[in-house]
């Protein structure tokens, strides 16, 4: 008897679950018109609105947190932050979007996901709001707006989905004291018949790293060769420095052309001869420690590392660390943007928040509190520069960088390339084999994303 | 060689091995404690400074800005809630499987089979359902979700202990007219105290350490320490000092718990003995 | 008047119902949902049941070389970690079962790692095992041993993960096996001694024999858990260097959140499910010597 009941139960469960799933997931992708309509109908009284936001635990977040009381005083809207780690954030956001009613209203979007979220309709375009309130987007560094602003980046259909928060473009951090050391300079000149100076090309940089490792008692480059994000972010600098890219403008794969192969070979050479022993397992933190303990000549890393490495309380080489844009053509750009979740019930209020937090006045206050700005006017403000003389350097690095291709499957692309790079650098494949396989899979991704 | 000397030698042998094992475990923990009182610079300094000025900065930031105290509270509520609910239920279930062969081997394995899938597969649908019925960011929701993977293991664990009890006493009790209920409560349970205790600890630990379900099913009000500790890995580097502090704090309730139960687990105290 | 057998059956059903009820409520629906999904092309970016592709997911994943690699690595991991943890754990439990002093202290220390969150354990050991700045290599250098590239060498990384896992999980075995030893009745040992059995004999025949159910359960549970290991990989190696530490649970996690391909992830999970089920049933039959009834 109970067997029969069990069977009925299970059948019902199947029907119910298909219903819940089908309807639940589809309705997360509602059209914007329907949403604003219901919102206008529902929001008679603003009442007790609390915006929930998912943020990372970094100074930029703290800077905003400190100013929240001002926002609540001005608008009556409360804001609640939830703090999670970067990788966990993506998981939580994706899971959150599966549901018709979301848990978050305003979110910060990393440029890796800046292609994914608009394409799936998980965040809404902001053009109408911007037009309605006359928000001036020209104050943003154009590269930032392209990266975490418009989607698609090019073409006639582009809309603004995000407003930039801050940039973490990558450049070259190096030890000035080592470059200026006369003994090292002489040895270098004798070996290579060139001067030891701030490197201008990628080849020169790799050569210097090897030299430093063999002669200066430090690692050449504190590389973050860990599989996944770390190795891809670092290697992209090598690729872009040589003028290469993942895809071209028409989404043809270029990840296995000669420039890319050369970039891989230089990277592998640096791993072997110019990096600390565990480099193939290093993420940002591991590499950063090497640099901050003074055990490396250089590090290709984010501009937000510069304040850290020049702070005597966090770095033993605070005085001698400098930063320049990536030697070669371009470095890797990265950054975050504010966006409104499509399944949020408080879209209007979310826009109020974004408008407020990115207003010139608040942006300046944040910048004075260790939050790297993305707005040109703030970057060039005298007060800001007085407190953070490194900002102009950062601006230089940002302007000489470009992001990885942003589309629906950027995250998967990074995972594929990361895997192949790690295999190549641990000697299990040749550069050509690895990049060819990556090229094949990247091609499939472009097709899956309906870009070709 | 006398019997006593043999015993002494094997005792010394025992002490040595246990000490080595304990050191292998204790030394890393001590290093974590050390890191929790150090600044980032000192934490990574090689050769490591053995003497330095300790700082309370990490703990202060942990409980102040990061609000670790409330996460600790949440984790405690969830772990205790889970254990208090799951151990009795699992005990009943385990007993049914052992003594009454309920559902045969099929049901037993079906219960265990629910655990053979990676959590991710289950957590997404559970999230959608819970979100729809507003169970996310509630204690009930996460406890229920954790129950779903506590129960099968606890049932099987307790099954193992129940199997070890000779059936004679129960049969004797039945002959004396005891109902299955009272046999279970008055006779079986007291004998399997070590089993119950270890099941409780296991349940507590599984809930305490749970990450994926906690990440996706909790929100600000119910966030647990595992999620909070994971957030220490930031774009500005890993906050290793604060992470160490959090880990040490997180261990303390567990140590207290095991001190409490070790009476039953080490001295082998049971509330009854099998006689004759 | 009900017979004893009927009474037992009713009681049994009653006893098991809370467990089954909760599992049905929370697990059964997601289980069925995910099983059904594996026959469609259901991705997180385009969740719909429009594309029924029957077994295509399953055939696609079998063509993925990296999947086979993950399975291989996972099997190596499971069948190294569980036996080692069992043997070492049992040994320590036996020692703790003896009449010695400081038992409480040893026990408390030895069961600490298990209560540490896996994420924290991974991050902390990552710090210890840092090839250049980690304390482990430093200690090696003090003893004139060469420094080891714990996580950066594709030949050593898997071993490192195994060692960290043993450090973390051995307390599980100690906890359960010691509890099992403590529940053993004294009579068999006493009568064996009277009959003149030596310690070794009584260990092998009596202890192991009586502990059979507890041992089987401990191993079964540990096997299932170790197949699901993923936190250590997530925090320490991300599956690298190369693909040398890509345990299958991590592989599935990536398919879900990076590939966005939930249906493929579920297909792989069900293949894994079958594998685990086969291993578990086999182990169960061998170790507890019972038939399917």
């Amino acid at each position: 008897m109970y067997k029969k009941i069990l069977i009925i139960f299970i059948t019902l469960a199947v029907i119910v679950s298909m219903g819940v799933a089908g309807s639940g997931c589809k309705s997360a992708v509602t059209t914007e018109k329907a949403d604003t309509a219901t919102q206008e109908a529902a929001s008679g009284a603003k009442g007790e609105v609390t915006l929930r936001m998912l943020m990372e635990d970094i100074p930029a977040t703290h800077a905003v947190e400190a100013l929240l009381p001002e926002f609540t005083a001005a608008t009556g809207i409360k804001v609640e932050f939830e703090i999670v780690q970067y990788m966990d954030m993506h998981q939580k956001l994706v899971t959150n979007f599966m549901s018709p009613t979301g848990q978050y209203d305003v979110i910060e979007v990393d440029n890796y996901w800046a292609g994914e979220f608009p394409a799936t309709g998980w965040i809404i375009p902001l053009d109408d709001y911007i037009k309605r309130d006359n928000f001036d987007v020209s104050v943003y560094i154009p590269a930032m707006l392209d990266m975490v602003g418009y989607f698609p980046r090019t073409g006639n259909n582009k809309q603004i989905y995000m407003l930039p928060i801050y940039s973490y473009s990558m450049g070259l951090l190096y030890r000035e004291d080592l470059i200026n050391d006369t003994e090292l300079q002489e040895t270098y000149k004798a070996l290579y018949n060139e001067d030891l100076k701030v490197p201008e090309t990628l080849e020169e940089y790799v050569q210097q790293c090897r030299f430093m490792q063999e002669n200066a008692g430090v690692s050449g480059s504190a590389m973050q060769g860990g599989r996944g994000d770390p190795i891809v972010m670092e290697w992209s600098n090598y690729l872009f420095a040589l003028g290469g890219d993942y895809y071209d403008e028409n989404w043809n794969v270029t990840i296995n052309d000669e420039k890319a192969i050369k970039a891989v070979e230089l990277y592998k050479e640096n791993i072997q001869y110019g990096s600390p022993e565990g480099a193939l397992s290093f993420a940002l933190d591991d590499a950063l420690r090497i640099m901050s303990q003074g055990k490396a000549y250089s590090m290709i890393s984010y501009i937000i590392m510069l304040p850290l490495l020049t702070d005597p309380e966090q770095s033993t080489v605070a005085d001698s660390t400098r930063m320049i844009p990536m030697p070669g053509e371009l470095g890797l750009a990265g950054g975050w943007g504010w966006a409104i979740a499509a399944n949020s019930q408080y879209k209007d209020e979310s826009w109020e928040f974004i408008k407020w937090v990115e207003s010139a006045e608040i942006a300046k206050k944040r910048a004075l509190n260790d939050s790297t700005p993305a707005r040109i006017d703030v970057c060039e403000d005298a007060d800001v520069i007085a407190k953070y003389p490194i900002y102009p350097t950062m601006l230089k690095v940002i302007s000489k960088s470009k992001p990885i291709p942003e589309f629906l499957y950027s995250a998967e692309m990074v995972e594929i390339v990361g895997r192949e790079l790690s295999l190549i650098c641990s000697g299990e494949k040749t550069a050509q084999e690895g990049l060819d396989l990556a090229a094949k899979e990247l091609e499939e991704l472009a097709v899956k994303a309906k870009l070709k | 060689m006398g019997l006593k000397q043999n015993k002494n030698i094997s005792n010394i042998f025992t002490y040595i091995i246990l000490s080595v094992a304990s050191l292998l475990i204790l030394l890393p923990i001590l290093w974590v404690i050390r890191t929790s009182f150090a600044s980032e610079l000192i934490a990574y300094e090689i050769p490591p400074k053995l003497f330095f000025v300790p700082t309370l900065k990490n703990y202060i930031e942990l409980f102040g800005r990061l609000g670790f105290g409330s996460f600790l509270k949440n984790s405690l509520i969830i772990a205790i809630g889970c254990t208090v609910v799951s151990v009795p239920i699992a005990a009943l279930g385990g007993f049914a499987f052992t003594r009454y062969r309920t559902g045969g081997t099929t049901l037993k394995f079906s219960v265990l089979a629910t655990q053979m899938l990676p959590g991710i597969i289950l957590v997404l649908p559970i999230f959608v359902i819970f979100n729809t019925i507003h169970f996310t960011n509630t204690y009930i929701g996460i406890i229920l979700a954790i129950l779903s993977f506590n129960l099968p293991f606890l049932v099987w664990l307790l099954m193992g202990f129940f199997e070890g009890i000779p059936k004679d006493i129960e049969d004797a009790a039945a002959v004396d007219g005891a109902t299955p209920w009272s046999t279970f409560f008055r006779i079986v349970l007291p004998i399997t105290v070590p089993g119950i205790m270890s099941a409780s600890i296991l349940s507590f630990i599984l809930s305490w350490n749970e990450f994926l379900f906690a990440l996706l099913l909790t929100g600000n009000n119910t966030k647990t320490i595992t999620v909070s500790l994971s957030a220490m890995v930031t774009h500005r580097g890993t906050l290793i000092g604060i992470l160490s502090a959090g880990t040490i704090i997180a261990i303390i309730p567990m140590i207290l718990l095991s001190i409490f139960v070790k009476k039953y687990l080490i001295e082998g105290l049971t509330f009854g003995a099998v006689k004759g | 008047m009900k017979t004893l057998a009927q009474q037992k059956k009713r009681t049994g059903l009653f006893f098991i119902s809370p467990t089954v009820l909760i599992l049905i409520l929370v697990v059964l629906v997601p289980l069925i949902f995910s099983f059904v999904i594996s026959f469609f092309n259901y991705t997180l970016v385009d969740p719909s049941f429009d594309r029924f592709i029957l077994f295509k997911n399953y055939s696609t994943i079998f063509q993925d070389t990296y999947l086979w690699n993950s399975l291989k690595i996972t099997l190596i991991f499971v069948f190294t970690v569980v036996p080692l943890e069992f043997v070492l754990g049992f040994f320590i439990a036996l020692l703790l079962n003896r009449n010695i002093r400081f038992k409480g202290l040893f026990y408390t220390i030895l069961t600490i790692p298990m209560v540490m969150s896996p994420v924290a354990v991974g991050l902390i050991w990552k710090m210890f095992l840092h090839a250049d700045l980690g304390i482990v290599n430093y200690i090696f250098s003090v003893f004139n041993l060469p420094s080891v590239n714990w996580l950066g060498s594709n030949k050593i990384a898997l071993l490192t993960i195994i060692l960290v896992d043993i450090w973390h999980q051995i307390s599980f075995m100690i906890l359960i096996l010691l509890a099992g030893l403590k529940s053993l009745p004294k009579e068999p040992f006493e009568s064996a001694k009277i009959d003149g059995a030596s310690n070794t004999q009584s260990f092998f025949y009596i202890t192991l024999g009586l502990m059979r159910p507890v041992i089987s359960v401990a191993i079964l549970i540990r096997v299932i858990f170790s197949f699901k290991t993923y936190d250590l990989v997530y925090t320490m190696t991300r599956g690298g260097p190369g693909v040398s530490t890509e345990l299958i649970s991590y592989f599935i996690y990536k398919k879900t959140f990076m590939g966005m391909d939930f249906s493929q992830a579920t297909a792989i999970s069900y293949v894994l499910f079958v594998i685990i089920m086969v291993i578990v049933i086999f182990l169960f039959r061998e170790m507890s010597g019972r038939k399917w009834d």
Side-chain angles (χ1 to χ4, degrees):
Chain A
M1 180 58 203
Y2 71 89
K3 274 201 186 124
K4 265 200 223 144
I5 300 180
L6 226 52
I7 295 179
I8 298 178
F9 212 120
I10 294 180
T11 326
L12 281 176
V14 174
I15 301 176
V16 164
S17 56
M18 285 186 67
V20 165
S23 71
C25 303
K26 278 226 182 81
S27 55
V29 188
T30 47
T31 60
E32 201 207 26
K33 288 215 183 73
D35 262 326
T36 32
T38 33
Q39 270 216 300
E40 275 159 10
S43 64
K46 276 271 168 64
E48 283 281 303
V49 176
T50 305
L51 293 178
R52 292 152 307 164
M53 303 174 44
L54 195 60
M55 310 284 287
E56 210 191 347
D57 188 18
I58 45 172
T61 308
H62 308 156
V64 179
E65 228 172 348
L67 298 168
L68 285 181
E70 282 184 40
F71 177 68
T72 312
T75 59
I77 305 174
K78 297 214 208 72
V79 177
E80 223 178 70
F81 278 7
E82 194 183 323
I83 312 267
V84 286
Q85 187 212 132
Y86 173 70
M87 290 230 52
D88 300 337
M89 190 185 280
H90 186 233
Q91 274 174 261
K92 249 192 124 132
L93 285 175
V94 170
T95 313
N96 175 62
F97 292 137
M98 297 273 100
S99 207
T101 51
Q103 302 203 306
Y104 306 108
D105 306 292
V106 178
I107 55 175
E108 40 174 17
V109 179
D110 185 46
N111 72 303
Y112 272 16
W113 321 322
E116 183 184 310
F117 288 8
T120 49
W122 285 337
I123 57 179
I124 59 170
L126 304 171
D127 303 77
D128 291 342
Y129 285 121
I130 293 178
K131 241 186 276 175
R132 182 193 79 180
D133 290 345
N134 274 326
F135 190 88
D136 184 10
V137 291
S138 65
V139 294
Y140 288 107
I141 305 169
M144 287 293 298
L145 208 50
D146 272 346
M147 179 174 66
V148 281
Y150 290 111
F151 182 81
R153 248 192 282 159
T154 51
N156 299 326
N157 298 334
K158 64 179 182 179
Q159 297 174 284
I160 297 193
Y161 280 86
M162 297 162 270
L163 286 187
I165 310 178
Y166 71 92
S167 153
Y168 57 82
S169 290
M170 295 178 85
L172 177 63
L173 293 135
Y174 66 95
R175 293 267 301 277
E176 201 175 51
D177 57 330
L178 289 176
I179 285 202
N180 290 340
D181 182 290
T182 37
E183 244 187 74
L184 286 175
Q185 283 180 343
E186 282 167 19
T187 325
Y188 189 80
K189 185 94 190 235
L191 267 177
Y192 296 108
N193 212 8
E194 291 167 14
D195 285 326
L196 180 62
K197 59 176 176 27
V198 174
E200 285 163 27
T201 67
L202 183 61
E203 292 88 336
E204 182 180 0
Y205 171 64
V206 174
Q207 183 176 281
Q208 285 183 356
C209 289
R210 183 168 188 164
F211 170 76
M212 287 292 179
Q213 186 134 323
E214 289 168 6
N215 294 292
V218 292
S219 297
S221 176
M223 300 179 76
Q224 49 179 59
R227 178 178 162 181
D229 277 5
I231 199 173
V232 172
M233 297 197 99
E234 193 177 26
W235 179 76
S236 298
N237 287 284
Y238 284 61
L239 179 64
F240 293 168
L242 294 179
D245 205 338
Y246 290 79
Y247 296 92
D248 66 15
E249 323 83 56
N250 296 320
W251 294 98
N252 295 317
V253 178
T254 55
I255 193 92
N256 54 350
D257 65 8
E258 338 78 56
K259 294 194 196 133
I261 303 244
K262 182 159 186 219
V264 171
E265 278 166 6
L266 282 171
Y267 190 82
K268 185 169 174 181
E269 185 186 328
N270 220 1
I271 288 264
Q272 273 180 297
Y273 302 111
S275 75
E277 189 180 353
L280 277 181
S281 67
F282 283 2
L284 168 67
D285 188 65
D286 311 296
L288 171 64
R289 302 303 164 195
I290 302 255
M291 192 71 186
S292 68
Q293 294 282 333
K295 298 199 191 279
Y297 154 63
S298 67
M299 183 179 174
I300 294 183
S301 195
Y302 312 96
I303 51 178
I304 51 178
M305 292 295 112
L306 189 57
L308 224 150
L309 287 169
T310 48
D311 174 10
E313 282 191 27
Q314 296 184 76
S315 159
T316 57
V317 289
D319 298 327
S320 43
T321 306
R322 303 276 174 268
M323 186 167 195
I324 54 166
M326 183 70 193
E329 281 190 34
L330 291 170
L332 175 67
W336 291 81
W338 302 107
I340 303 182
N343 60 2
S344 155
Q345 298 167 295
Y346 300 116
K347 297 194 178 63
D348 289 340
E349 291 83 346
S350 301
W351 169 249
E352 289 302 314
F353 176 81
I354 296 183
K355 198 173 61 169
W356 169 84
V357 82
E358 282 298 317
S359 62
E361 180 201 340
I362 300 295
K364 176 170 171 179
K365 283 197 191 161
R366 286 160 47 207
L368 285 171
N369 225 336
D370 203 10
S371 174
T372 345
R375 298 171 54 120
I376 309 180
D377 53 355
V378 175
C379 282
E380 295 177 342
D381 184 290
D383 296 330
V384 171
I385 296 185
K387 186 161 182 206
Y388 293 100
I390 48 180
Y391 277 0
T393 314
M394 290 186 180
L395 204 50
K396 255 189 253 156
V397 175
I398 299 177
S399 45
K400 211 178 153 216
S401 64
K402 81 171 179 194
I404 59 167
E406 281 161 28
F407 64 115
L408 188 51
Y409 294 109
S410 294
E412 175 76 349
M413 174 186 82
V414 169
E415 172 54 34
I416 291 172
V417 175
R419 180 191 72 212
E420 293 307 316
L421 285 175
S422 189
L423 284 167
I424 294 172
C425 289
S426 25
E428 293 182 51
K429 285 194 185 182
T430 66
Q432 189 75 56
E433 280 171 357
L435 288 181
D436 282 343
L437 180 58
K440 174 165 155 291
E441 291 189 34
L442 257 55
E443 173 80 21
E444 285 165 14
L445 285 183
V447 169
K448 224 169 40 158
K450 305 211 180 50
L451 295 164
K452 291 192 69 174
Chain B
M1 212 94 100
L3 208 59
K4 183 142 192 221
Q5 279 171 299
N6 248 344
K7 196 164 190 218
N8 276 343
I9 292 182
S10 61
N11 270 359
I12 295 180
F13 182 62
T14 306
Y15 281 118
I16 294 182
I17 300 211
L18 284 179
S19 305
V20 168
S22 302
L23 277 178
L24 280 176
I25 305 251
L26 196 58
L27 288 180
I29 307 273
L30 288 178
W31 200 255
V32 175
I33 298 182
R34 171 215 189 243
T35 311
S36 71
F37 288 109
S39 67
E40 313 262 312
L41 267 186
I42 297 186
Y44 283 98
E45 199 178 311
I46 287 288
K49 269 211 193 85
L50 276 180
F51 298 107
F52 57 89
V53 179
T55 164
L56 280 180
K57 188 173 64 121
N58 295 323
Y59 286 94
I60 295 178
E61 199 168 336
L62 185 68
F63 281 100
R65 184 174 67 78
L66 291 172
F68 200 65
S70 76
F71 305 146
L72 205 56
K73 179 191 74 163
N74 290 337
S75 283
L76 273 174
I77 293 179
I78 293 173
I80 294 179
C82 258
T83 307
V84 160
V85 174
S86 61
V87 172
I89 295 183
L92 290 176
F95 195 68
F97 279 150
T98 312
R99 282 293 174 257
Y100 305 133
R101 296 271 185 272
T102 318
T105 324
T106 323
L107 189 56
K108 235 182 359 200
F109 272 98
S110 310
V111 162
L112 194 59
T114 58
Q115 296 315 303
M116 297 183 194
L117 285 177
I120 305 144
I121 303 301
L122 298 177
V123 85
L124 284 181
I126 290 184
F127 176 81
V128 175
I129 297 175
F130 275 24
N131 207 20
T132 320
I133 55 178
H134 296 292
F135 262 20
T136 43
N137 202 15
T138 62
Y139 289 122
I140 282 202
I142 182 75
I143 289 181
L144 206 51
I146 294 185
L147 273 183
S148 78
F149 58 77
N150 256 359
L151 277 179
F153 289 118
L154 292 181
V155 165
W156 273 72
L157 182 63
L158 288 170
M159 249 171 62
F161 283 99
F162 289 140
E163 303 247 340
I165 309 175
K167 291 179 95 176
D168 333 358
I169 3 157
E170 292 168 55
D171 294 342
V175 165
D176 283 348
T179 65
W181 270 105
S182 65
T183 318
F184 181 66
F185 277 106
R186 301 239 196 91
I187 305 195
V188 175
L189 273 190
I191 303 183
T192 47
V193 165
I196 301 282
M197 286 297 162
S198 56
S200 307
I201 295 188
L202 186 65
S203 164
F204 197 88
I205 292 174
L206 285 178
S207 330
W208 191 252
N209 286 344
E210 173 49 33
F211 178 66
L212 186 64
F213 279 66
L215 176 70
L216 295 176
L217 293 175
T218 62
N220 260 345
N221 297 339
T222 50
K223 187 151 107 177
T224 64
I225 50 182
T226 46
V227 178
S228 155
L229 288 176
S230 173
M232 307 284 169
V233 179
T234 71
H235 250 140
R236 285 258 190 142
T238 305
L239 308 169
I240 197 75
I242 306 184
L243 173 69
S244 303
T247 307
I248 296 297
I249 301 278
I251 297 180
I252 295 179
M254 291 304 316
I255 296 187
L256 292 176
L257 181 66
S258 74
I259 292 181
F260 170 68
V261 298
K262 72 177 161 74
K263 249 193 329 190
Y264 304 98
L265 286 173
I266 306 193
E267 263 98 89
L269 271 184
T270 60
F271 289 131
V274 185
K275 291 210 175 18
Chain C
M1 175 72 178
K2 289 199 174 58
T3 66
L4 193 61
Q6 280 180 310
Q7 201 184 29
K8 276 192 174 177
K9 188 161 186 211
R10 272 191 66 216
T11 321
L13 283 180
F14 188 66
F15 275 19
I16 197 66
S17 51
T19 306
V20 171
L21 196 65
I22 293 185
L23 287 179
I24 287 184
L25 277 178
V26 187
V27 174
L28 196 63
V29 169
L31 263 183
I32 295 179
F33 177 64
S34 57
F35 186 60
V36 168
I37 282 188
S38 68
F39 297 112
F40 289 82
N41 183 5
Y42 179 104
T43 65
L44 295 183
V45 298
D46 188 7
S48 76
F49 284 105
D50 297 336
R51 300 171 297 267
F52 180 66
I53 53 176
L54 199 56
F55 290 114
K56 189 145 180 284
N57 271 329
Y58 289 93
S59 62
T60 320
I61 61 183
F62 281 122
Q63 290 164 7
D64 186 350
T65 30
Y66 292 121
L67 174 69
W68 290 107
N69 176 67
S70 276
L71 282 173
K72 180 185 89 174
I73 294 197
T74 311
L75 287 171
I76 295 178
F77 178 78
V78 170
F79 288 108
T80 310
V81 157
V82 178
L84 278 178
E85 284 174 17
F86 172 67
V87 169
L88 289 173
F90 201 21
F91 187 51
I92 294 184
L94 286 169
L95 292 179
L96 280 175
N97 196 27
R98 305 179 52 150
N99 227 339
I100 52 167
R101 297 162 60 186
F102 305 126
K103 259 195 292 200
L105 181 64
F106 284 131
Y107 178 76
T108 311
I109 294 180
L110 289 167
T111 48
I112 289 183
M114 174 175 65
V115 315
M116 293 171 69
S117 132
V119 169
V121 169
L123 290 173
I124 284 168
W125 275 100
K126 190 150 205 261
M127 174 177 85
F128 291 164
L129 293 170
H130 194 284
D132 310 84
L133 300 175
I135 187 72
V136 175
N137 271 346
Y138 175 70
I139 294 183
F140 273 32
S141 69
V142 166
F143 288 107
N144 269 329
L145 294 167
S147 75
V148 180
N149 194 358
W150 297 103
L151 295 166
S153 152
N154 56 348
K155 302 186 186 22
I156 303 183
L158 186 60
L159 178 65
T160 307
I161 301 258
I162 288 176
L163 288 175
V164 176
D165 191 74
I166 293 181
W167 183 89
H168 187 214
Q169 303 284 9
I170 198 165
S171 4
F172 171 84
M173 280 290 176
I174 298 176
L175 173 76
I176 296 191
L177 294 173
L178 184 60
L181 287 172
K182 284 300 168 197
S183 327
L184 295 180
K186 299 206 178 16
E187 287 69 40
F189 292 99
E190 286 164 8
S191 24
K193 222 182 225 156
I194 295 179
D195 285 347
S198 74
N199 275 339
T200 334
Q201 278 176 316
S202 97
F203 171 70
F204 273 102
Y205 289 107
I206 306 185
T207 315
L208 281 187
L210 289 178
M211 285 278 286
R212 202 174 193 190
V214 175
I215 291 180
S216 332
V217 167
I219 292 187
L220 277 180
I221 293 183
R222 190 69 200 106
V223 163
I224 297 180
F225 271 137
S226 55
F227 266 106
K228 302 208 288 187
T229 306
Y230 123 100
D231 289 310
L232 285 183
V233 176
Y234 181 72
T235 48
M236 294 177 94
T237 62
R238 296 286 158 88
V243 290
S244 57
T245 57
E246 196 164 43
L247 295 181
I248 190 84
S249 269
Y250 185 67
F251 187 82
I252 294 175
Y253 153 82
K254 276 191 316 190
K255 267 271 183 268
T256 312
F257 285 108
M258 289 183 203
M260 296 293 165
D261 200 334
F262 197 48
S263 50
Q264 271 206 4
T266 49
I268 301 175
S269 302
Y270 277 99
V271 169
L272 181 67
F273 173 84
V274 169
I275 295 178
I276 300 180
M277 193 57 145
V278 165
I279 294 179
V280 163
I281 293 183
F282 174 74
L283 282 176
F284 179 72
R285 278 233 292 260
E286 292 312 303
M287 289 193 303
S288 51
R290 280 224 306 270
K291 299 200 186 42
W292 196 278
D293 55 16

